[in-house]
Amino acid sequence: MAERTKYILDEADMPARWYNIVPDLPEPPPPPLHPGTREPVGPDDLAPLFPQALIAQEVSTERYIDIPEEVLDVYRLWRPSPLYRARRLEKALGTPARIYYKYEGVSPVGSHKPNTAVPQAFYNAAEGVTRLTTETGAGQWGSALAFACATFGLECEVWQVRASFDQKPYRKLMMETFGATVHPSPSELTESGRAILAADPASTGSLGIAISEAVEQAAQAENTRYALGSVLNHVLLHQTIIGEEALKQFELAGDTPDVLVGCTGGGSNFGGLAFPFLREKLAGRMDPVIRAVEPAACPTLTRGKYAYDFGDTAGLTPLLKMHTLGHDFIPDPIHAGGLRYHGMSPLISHIYELGLIDAVAIGQEDCFAAGVRFARAEGIIPAPEPTHALAACIQEALRCKETGEEKVILTALCGHAHLDLPAYGAYLAGEISDHALPEEALEKSLAGLP
Ligand SMILES: *Cc1c(COP(=O)(O)O)cnc(C)c1O
């Protein structure tokens, strides 16, 4: 095999359909429930929030869904994304393992989020919607939706978690450059925001609160719908382009992964990479261990409860059966803002319950150490979120060094840190500490489950 570092597909070889894992699972995932009736929600319940095309995808049992030509056209701005063999990292670690990473930082906003923002904006525009509302934490999702809305001529209004709004002014400027309007959350503009501010005027916000604000606005305003950047089935569906490309790239490499690791906030970059490989595993064509990595400060899969809970803090969304820390859980302000969500994708939660994937939680100090190690070897500074995946990848590679196993490890490098450098600044200054979650805090927030 030639000593290649990059595996790049031709545009013509870019996958033209998304993969829906639901029909291949041994049991279907439990449906979302209406919070009032506790009956499964129907399309009519979701119509105030989402366009029909996305509702259809949310409940689809078709194995493959064609990607519209208009969406493929925008994807071609940065896709197919590269798969790298991390030869320099392997050398630095002295491991016999072969490490590969699929890099999504080449997108216009530096993460995987546009893979779903673009089709979501497209389907909304196609159904006559003129404005989208959303929430954002660290700002990755807000930037992606702002870009996608600019592409299809939609207005975009973003509620950004107050803590990030203050700490990360560049993300806001990026959203505004793409034409979006950005509000700090909690805000005085919504009932949900006002209620939080009345109880705590200094609230630094959470993703759950920001979702409540954006959902409330979308449900009330004309021609306005809501867009979610993770968690839901249609979001994970759109992200499967990552794994479909990676499968083709592994063919080019003549290799097969033994271990696949990805970080999980709401589960979309992980599901996007993992599901096509899980399809191959379920079909008996390969047998990788598939591992989700979450922050010790927000350990949804490893310490949360598998139960019906709201997706937001105010309780405006349908009830989702998922691994949750409780909808009023507010995680410590760790730097991986994209991993600070109280819940987890129902599909990932279901697949975890079925024993098809495993999960680990890692503290942020170890993650930043892995991020720095990776950056110095490979020249890409990973976003704080995927440093979690890299920490698990390096652990696995070091185990291989001990045992002499030549495992093949694949990791999702879902974004770069160019707008998160202050987090690295804090790490380099020795100011990063670990926020393991106390059992009492967890019990308290789980007591609030509906
Ligand atoms: C949003 C985000 C995440 C977390 O979301 P998932 O749906 O779990 O992927 C992780 N990494 C980056 C770079 C993000 O922008």
Side-chain angles (χ1 to χ4, degrees):
M1 200 207 311
E3 291 274 296
R4 283 182 64 178
T5 303
K6 286 203 278 306
Y7 298 91
I8 298 185
L9 293 177
D10 288 336
E11 275 184 25
D13 294 328
M14 187 166 81
R17 42 189 208 171
W18 295 300
Y19 168 56
N20 177 15
I21 197 167
V22 171
D24 287 334
L25 292 175
E27 305 165 28
L33 301 184
H34 189 283
T37 63
R38 307 270 158 143
E39 293 294 320
V41 293
D44 290 350
D45 298 311
L46 297 173
L49 294 184
F50 302 110
Q52 290 305 322
L54 292 177
I55 295 172
Q57 290 180 1
E58 189 61 24
V59 298
S60 173
T61 51
E62 294 290 316
R63 183 168 287 115
Y64 293 101
I65 293 178
D66 287 338
I67 306 175
E69 198 47 53
E70 293 88 337
V71 172
L72 288 171
D73 254 355
V74 184
Y75 276 178
R76 285 188 196 103
L77 289 174
W78 73 96
R79 303 210 72 86
S81 72
L83 177 79
Y84 287 89
R85 169 92 184 265
R87 292 184 185 277
R88 305 180 70 86
L89 178 66
E90 292 166 14
K91 211 164 162 198
L93 297 171
T95 177
R98 299 197 288 285
I99 302 173
Y100 292 84
Y101 57 96
K102 177 73 168 159
Y103 185 44
E104 292 296 309
V106 292
S107 87
V109 302
S111 75
H112 64 291
K113 295 291 200 313
N115 296 333
T116 184
V118 170
Q120 289 195 46
F122 166 75
Y123 290 118
N124 274 286
E127 292 183 30
V129 171
T130 57
R131 173 170 167 257
L132 286 179
T133 65
T134 198
E135 73 293 330
T136 197
Q140 286 276 15
W141 168 242
S143 324
L145 194 69
F147 155 70
C149 284
T151 303
F152 292 106
L154 295 170
E155 285 176 58
C156 180
E157 206 161 332
V158 183
W159 274 262
Q160 182 172 20
V161 176
R162 177 98 231 178
S164 310
F165 183 91
D166 293 334
Q167 282 165 8
K168 303 194 171 187
Y170 293 133
R171 278 286 166 198
K172 172 169 160 267
L173 293 174
M174 195 176 199
M175 292 184 258
E176 288 173 348
T177 302
F178 285 129
T181 307
V182 187
H183 312 288
S185 167
S187 76
E188 293 286 353
L189 298 166
T190 66
E191 224 173 276
S192 322
R194 288 190 293 271
I196 298 281
L197 288 172
D200 176 12
S203 169
T204 52
S206 71
L207 275 176
I209 295 169
I211 295 174
S212 298
E213 295 204 88
V215 165
E216 184 186 318
Q217 277 283 309
Q220 287 170 1
E222 277 298 294
N223 293 332
T224 301
R225 294 288 182 279
Y226 165 71
L228 187 62
S230 186
V231 179
L232 298 179
N233 297 359
H234 67 267
V235 177
L236 274 66
L237 171 80
H238 300 153
Q239 294 294 355
T240 58
I241 183 128
I242 303 174
E244 293 291 11
E245 284 181 5
L247 274 172
K248 289 189 167 193
Q249 288 162 314
F250 264 91
E251 249 171 63
L252 291 179
D255 227 339
T256 311
D258 300 306
V259 182
L260 189 160
V261 290
C263 68
T264 43
S268 75
N269 87 85
F270 172 76
L273 179 66
F275 286 175
F277 287 88
L278 187 51
R279 173 189 66 216
E280 299 303 302
K281 179 175 168 142
L282 290 168
R285 289 187 284 266
M286 55 173 76
D287 193 23
V289 168
I290 300 179
R291 182 168 300 145
V293 190
E294 57 188 16
C298 194
T300 326
L301 285 170
T302 52
R303 290 176 66 193
K305 197 165 165 184
Y306 186 48
Y308 273 103
D309 196 8
F310 292 107
D312 70 323
T313 303
L316 303 178
T317 69
L319 291 168
L320 303 172
K321 181 93 184 260
M322 61 182 175
H323 285 264
T324 178
L325 300 169
H327 60 277
D328 8 89
F329 180 76
I330 299 191
D332 274 323
I334 54 166
H335 290 278
L339 306 184
R340 291 182 69 228
Y341 183 60
H342 69 271
M344 179 52 59
S345 143
L347 255 182
I348 301 282
S349 298
H350 176 64
I351 287 170
Y352 181 62
E353 285 298 307
L354 292 173
L356 299 174
I357 59 171
D358 61 34
V360 294
I362 304 183
Q364 61 174 350
E365 217 176 321
D366 288 349
C367 295
F368 277 106
V372 166
R373 210 162 184 183
F374 182 87
R376 290 178 186 173
E378 295 290 321
I380 296 172
I381 307 179
E385 292 85 1
T387 63
H388 290 72
L390 291 169
C393 167
I394 289 175
Q395 281 175 3
E396 190 69 40
L398 292 176
R399 270 196 290 272
C400 289
K401 185 177 177 174
E402 276 172 28
T403 61
E405 281 174 287
E406 293 182 15
K407 282 191 187 169
V408 176
I409 306 170
L410 166 61
T411 183
L413 182 50
C414 53
H416 65 62
H418 296 180
L419 297 184
D420 303 297
L421 286 173
Y424 279 86
Y427 173 73
L428 295 172
E431 289 162 11
I432 294 268
S433 54
D434 271 320
H435 301 75
L437 169 65
E439 196 55 39
E440 314 81 73
L442 183 55
E443 274 167 25
K444 187 159 164 255
S445 75
L446 286 176
L449 285 178

